[in-house]
């Protein structure tokens, strides 16, 4: 059974992660519309870089309320980015293109990011 504290931590993670995801996807949307023909992998990488800091400080001050380690969080984020790009590559190979595969790949790595952040970065 999940403790009450863990339940609230998950809720806070959802809000911060949701905010970071909105920053990420908003950046992706802006890049797709502002730079026609841009490569999906470049979009997801640039969006990641912008959302990274929003996510780190949100999780530090809101989700986990612990100092955390930016270096460890960067490793988790880079690992998540790599997994996200693998998923994206698979979706592109399957015939999807544009914003949809970026959205699917981004949302898929959310659980991975929470688990690694919880047990390693903000332990």
């Amino acid at each position: 059974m999940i403790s009450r504290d863990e339940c609230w931590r998950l809720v806070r993670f959802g809000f911060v992660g949701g905010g970071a995801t909105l920053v990420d996807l908003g950046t992706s949307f802006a890049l797709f519309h502002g730079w026609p023909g841009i490569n999906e992998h470049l979009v997801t990488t640039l969006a990641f870089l912008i959302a990274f800091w929003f996510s780190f400080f949100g999780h530090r001050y809101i989700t986990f309320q612990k100092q955390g380690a930016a270096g460890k969080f960067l490793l988790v984020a880079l690992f998540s980015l790599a997994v996200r790009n693998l998923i994206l590559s698979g979706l592109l190979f399957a015939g999807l293109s544009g914003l949809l595969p970026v959205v699917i790949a981004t949302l898929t790595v959310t659980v991975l990011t929470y688990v690694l952040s919880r047990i390693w970065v903000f332990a």
Side-chain angles (χ1 to χ4, degrees):
M1 175 136 183
I2 295 176
S3 72
R4 184 174 182 215
D5 288 342
E6 190 67 26
C7 185
W8 280 113
R9 190 174 295 112
L10 284 166
V11 168
R12 292 189 306 265
F13 179 84
F15 281 117
V16 171
T21 300
L22 288 175
V23 168
D24 192 305
L25 294 176
T27 301
S28 297
F29 181 81
L31 288 168
F32 271 115
H33 286 12
W35 192 350
I38 189 170
N39 178 281
E40 287 90 351
H41 287 289
L42 179 59
V43 168
T44 196
T45 300
L46 292 173
F48 159 81
L49 292 172
I50 293 168
F52 170 81
W53 291 107
F54 179 96
S55 181
F56 176 71
F57 287 111
H59 290 315
R60 173 185 275 182
Y61 295 111
I62 297 169
T63 302
F64 299 105
Q65 300 172 355
K66 293 183 178 180
Q67 185 69 21
K72 286 182 178 181
F73 191 72
L74 179 60
L75 289 175
V76 167
L78 289 172
F79 179 69
S80 295
L81 177 63
V83 171
R84 183 168 84 175
N85 274 305
L86 284 172
I87 294 167
L88 177 60
S89 292
L91 294 170
L92 293 172
F93 182 77
L96 294 176
S97 64
L99 190 58
L100 180 61
V102 172
V103 171
I104 293 169
T106 300
L107 295 177
T108 302
V109 299
T110 303
V111 173
L112 174 67
T113 302
Y114 176 79
V115 170
L116 292 175
S117 294
R118 175 76 173 102
I119 64 174
W120 189 51
V121 178
F122 296 98

